[in-house]
Amino acid sequence: DAKTTQPNSMESNEEEPVHLPCNHSTISGTDYIHWYRQLPSQGPEYVIHGLTSNVNNRMASLAIAEDRKSSTLILHRATLRDAAVYYCILGAYNFNKFYFGSGTKLNVKP
Amino acid sequence: DAGVTQSPTHLIKTRGQQVTLRCSPISGHKSVSWYQQVLGQGPQFIFQYYEKEERGRGNFPDRFSARQFPNYSSELNVNALLLGDSALYLCASSLAGSTDTQYFGPGTRLTVL
């Protein structure tokens, strides 16, 4: 099973950029890289996803390494509402699996 | 538009009993996935259904089963409950496949005594 490795926790100051890393050395050629976040007492929430190229949306940017064995989620200006557990997930193209790792707990300081 | 809804919100069962959890996807979504989230851990993939067919299955025993109905709602059944089945059970819906955004419901908190 394709797995991801993330730091257990990270801390950031409000209004500063945050780079959340993820290693996925066993990624297959058709696996998409997804990022979700989970706020306390809520279900996970979609953040962004990509296959090979870097991706941007209103919430974040996703930078994917050329060999696809790692990726970085970038929050451009962290706010207190961004404090959550962030999960990096590999999703098989035929959707026979979608595995969350243990995630990174992001703490944002005012 | 209504999001993903799950029922019940909370449930208490005893060991050996059976439980059925229900999920209604977002209107227009044909895919439903189920996850188990034990306290302090990330969600673990149980099943994915698309157009009433099982498309994916995680590493869970046969005590866990699910089905999807013609209206795309879904049920998750767990037989012979164990203490270790105590968890938050999350349902997610999406339009179709793995590249689609999954929208999660608030979950059903199951406690097995």
Side-chain angles (χ1 to χ4, degrees), chain B:
Chain B
D1 286 342
V4 176
T5 58
Q6 293 185 244
S7 63
T9 305
H10 296 87
L11 202 53
I12 299 175
K13 292 286 188 177
T14 57
R15 282 177 296 176
Q17 284 189 313
Q18 175 264 343
V19 68
T20 298
L21 310 180
R22 295 175 176 83
C23 172
S24 293
I26 291 172
S27 177
H29 284 192
K30 298 181 178 181
S31 174
V32 169
S33 298
W34 287 95
Y35 297 82
Q36 179 196 67
Q37 187 171 28
V38 173
L39 198 62
Q41 298 182 18
Q44 299 300 307
F45 175 67
I46 309 176
F47 288 110
Q48 196 251 351
Y49 276 78
Y50 175 67
E51 290 280 17
K52 303 183 291 295
E53 296 290 328
E54 182 184 303
R55 188 188 281 188
R57 171 185 285 256
N59 189 24
F60 279 81
D62 292 342
R63 299 184 296 109
F64 289 77
S65 64
R67 56 180 176 169
Q68 188 177 32
F69 298 98
N71 67 352
Y72 303 110
S73 67
S74 178
E75 287 182 351
L76 175 70
N77 294 285
V78 187
N79 294 321
L81 284 168
L82 304 174
L83 294 179
D85 295 331
S86 295
L88 180 68
Y89 287 85
L90 294 161
C91 172
S93 77
S94 62
L95 284 170
S98 68
T99 60
D100 294 321
T101 299
Q102 292 195 79
Y103 295 86
F104 283 81
T108 293
R109 172 71 62 186
L110 172 64
T111 302
V112 181
L113 302 177

Side-chain angles (χ1 to χ4, degrees), chain A residues 68-87:
Chain A
R68 300 210 325 128
K69 294 185 177 181
S70 66
S71 61
T72 301
L73 178 71
I74 303 165
L75 306 179
H76 297 287
R77 291 180 64 200
T79 70
L80 297 178
R81 288 175 295 178
D82 291 324
V85 178
Y86 286 78
Y87 295 100

Side-chain angles (χ1 to χ4, degrees), chain A residues 4 8 29 53 58 71 80 93 102 105-106:
Chain A
T4 61
N8 288 334
S53 304
R58 63 174 182 83
S71 61
L80 297 178
Y93 178 77
S102 54
K105 185 174 184 179
L106 176 66

Side-chain angles (χ1 to χ4, degrees), chain A residues 7 25 32 42 46 54 57-58 69 72 92:
Chain A
S25 58
Y32 280 74
Q42 294 187 26
Y46 170 81
N54 295 343
N57 66 21
R58 63 174 182 83
K69 294 185 177 181
T72 301

